[in-house]
Amino acid sequence: MDYNVKLDEAIQRLHDEGRYRTFIDIEREKGNFPHAMWTRPDGTKAPITVWCGNDYLGMGQHPVVLAAMHEALDATGAGSGGTRNISGTTIYHKRLEAELADLHGKEAALLFTSAYIANDATLSTLPKLFPGLIIYSDELNHASMIEGVRRNGGAKRVFRHNDVEHLRELLAADDPAAPKLIAFESVYSMDGDFGPIEVICDLADEFGALTYIDEVHAVGMYGPRGGGVTERDNLAHRIDIINGTLAKAYGVMGGYIAASEKMCDAVRSYAPGFIFTTSLPPAVAAGAAASVAHLKTDQERRDKHQEQAKILKLRLKGMGLPIIDHGSHIVPVIVGDPVHTKALSDMLLENFGIYVQPINFPTVPRGTERLRFTPSPVHGPDEMNKLVRAMDELWSHCALNRAELAG
């Protein structure tokens, strides 16, 4: 077999479908987010504004976070030096886990190198702890959750997105004595809709199931202390395992679960994804802990974030652009074709200095390709005006429909 030919064919298929992904080479500017420098393919540089980042609140540039990282770096050096079990646990890791447990009102928290690993490692480990476990998973769950459920070797049931009646049917059809877990999300990042948390908790109580929620697109941004939608809705105490990230609203990197002390102890003791992975660098853990602690009291930043999202959605709707609005901070503009989506993204970058990455299959279903904007508290009125004018001009230039989607 000519392996290079097979690689060429695989890559060409992506080009043919208009969904080949390219990296945009940018340099973030300290203290100047959301502005950055773009290095064009020819090596020249141009200033741009980032409109698709996950640093939702600009905390990756916050002086409190940077100071904590500098302090830890000077005190400990670069890396952690090992796994958590072998020399890789420091006061910074313990401090961060304590901050996260407190954030969610749980007994304990467990750090991972990413929220993807936290989901994958935890969900693939739970059947070892609860033999015969059946996991009920929302069909639009993150890829990391799907992968964890797929790999765990246990039984799985996939329920239609946010369809609690379908979930009830699946729960009722299984052995009442079998251990069960319902896995879902609080904010689904591509459409920006919310999971029906309270109703799912009611079903879990009725059928004796554990609950597992992914709050990665909500922690830091919702709730009086940034504990996510579960905190905002006073439901965190009804969730057995909360998954979150430190790489979005908190502006650093890493992931975690927050749960009972016994649950965290069991997962850390059995999950290969935790046991055999080098722990986060102490400076990263220190920065994340500072960010979590700061956002517990910075409601103004959260309010400004929500205000920015509402303004952008209102202005795009006013131009008749097809956006999806479920009331969250996510602003998806549906294009519906991978080639057009990529063309819009390219023109925004090259002609207007606006960077928003095209979102294509398999991240979203075919025919729903989109540009996904993530306004932040540090996007000013000038940036907002420039974006709105550019979208209006390019939408007309590409002769795209201006029929608004239902929210």
Side-chain angles (χ1 to χ4, degrees):
M1 176 182 287
D2 189 330
Y3 294 101
N4 284 325
V5 168
K6 292 300 180 184
L7 292 174
D8 288 338
E9 290 174 353
I11 294 171
Q12 188 59 47
R13 284 197 297 272
L14 298 178
H15 282 290
D16 293 343
E17 295 174 14
R19 58 188 187 93
Y20 178 77
R21 303 178 190 220
T22 57
F23 291 144
I24 304 299
D25 185 357
I26 67 171
E27 297 174 41
R28 285 162 61 98
E29 299 176 355
K30 178 183 174 182
N32 200 28
F33 183 77
H35 301 290
M37 291 300 294
W38 168 42
T39 301
R40 296 187 180 96
D42 64 5
T44 60
K45 294 181 181 291
I48 62 170
T49 302
V50 178
W51 275 97
C52 59
N54 283 339
D55 188 357
Y56 288 130
L57 302 179
M59 290 301 294
Q61 305 285 316
H62 198 287
V64 168
V65 176
L66 299 184
M69 295 186 74
H70 279 297
E71 180 184 341
L73 183 65
D74 291 340
T76 68
S80 67
T83 66
R84 288 292 297 276
N85 288 318
I86 306 176
S87 80
T89 295
T90 70
I91 58 170
Y92 302 101
H93 298 88
K94 300 300 290 184
R95 184 181 301 162
L96 176 53
E97 286 176 336
E99 285 283 3
L100 294 167
D102 171 74
L103 175 68
H104 295 292
K106 299 299 183 185
E107 294 176 345
L110 189 64
L111 277 176
F112 294 81
T113 51
S114 73
Y116 186 107
I117 298 298
N119 272 333
D120 184 20
T122 303
L123 288 169
S124 63
T125 297
L126 289 175
K128 300 176 186 176
L129 308 176
F130 308 106
L133 180 70
I134 303 171
I135 296 183
Y136 304 80
S137 178
D138 188 289
E139 67 177 343
L140 293 189
N141 277 341
H142 277 127
S144 54
M145 301 174 75
I146 295 170
E147 185 66 13
V149 172
R150 186 188 67 80
R151 291 198 311 107
N152 67 28
K156 67 175 181 181
R157 313 281 186 260
V158 178
F159 61 94
R160 291 185 293 271
H161 178 53
N162 280 351
D163 189 336
V164 291
E165 290 306 315
H166 187 215
L167 173 59
R168 168 181 283 280
E169 292 172 10
L170 295 174
L171 287 163
D174 282 319
D175 181 356
K180 302 174 178 67
L181 179 139
I182 305 170
F184 62 111
E185 300 183 26
S186 62
V187 178
Y188 290 85
S189 63
M190 287 301 115
D191 284 353
D193 55 331
F194 294 92
I197 302 173
E198 185 170 17
V199 181
I200 287 179
C201 288
D202 291 342
L203 283 176
D205 290 345
E206 181 181 345
F207 289 93
L210 295 169
T211 47
Y212 183 109
I213 193 166
D214 180 310
E215 286 254 47
V216 300
H217 288 280
V219 290
M221 294 172 284
Y222 295 86
R225 299 196 310 154
V229 180
T230 51
E231 185 196 30
R232 182 196 70 180
D233 296 348
N234 296 311
L235 294 169
H237 65 286
R238 301 187 64 186
I239 301 292
D240 294 292
I241 304 173
I242 296 175
N243 167 275
T245 185
L246 303 166
K248 292 181 171 62
Y250 294 117
V252 193
M253 72 167 292
Y256 65 90
I257 60 168
S260 69
E261 190 170 352
K262 286 184 180 179
M263 182 70 77
C264 289
D265 191 26
V267 171
R268 78 167 187 89
S269 299
Y270 281 87
F274 176 85
I275 295 169
F276 298 108
T277 299
T278 298
S279 64
L280 289 171
V284 171
S291 186
V292 173
H294 176 85
L295 284 177
K296 287 177 180 178
T297 62
D298 195 348
Q299 185 60 38
E300 182 180 352
R301 189 172 291 252
R302 271 188 287 280
D303 291 342
K304 180 66 174 176
H305 181 231
Q306 292 295 320
E307 179 187 347
Q308 291 284 78
K310 288 177 183 176
I311 291 172
L312 181 57
K313 285 186 281 191
L314 184 64
R315 294 188 66 179
L316 294 177
K317 282 180 182 179
M319 298 188 302
L321 268 60
I323 80 164
I324 299 176
D325 183 5
H326 289 289
S328 75
H329 61 283
I330 305 295
V331 186
V333 179
I334 304 299
V335 182
D337 175 87
V339 175
H340 287 158
T341 308
K342 179 67 165 61
L344 277 171
S345 173
D346 290 344
M347 286 186 286
L348 283 168
L349 184 62
E350 294 165 6
N351 301 340
F352 298 92
I354 293 170
Y355 172 41
V356 56
Q357 190 74 7
I359 306 294
N360 295 324
F361 178 85
T363 307
V364 295
R366 297 180 194 275
T368 70
E369 292 83 3
R370 66 198 63 184
L371 299 175
R372 176 181 171 272
F373 296 94
T374 54
S376 78
V378 292
H379 283 91
D382 289 342
E383 287 91 354
M384 183 84 74
N385 290 336
K386 185 177 180 181
L387 171 63
V388 171
R389 286 195 300 265
M391 286 294 288
D392 190 25
E393 179 179 329
L394 291 179
W395 213 260
S396 296
H397 174 77
C398 296
L400 295 170
N401 291 332
R402 291 184 185 255
E404 183 181 339
L405 294 183

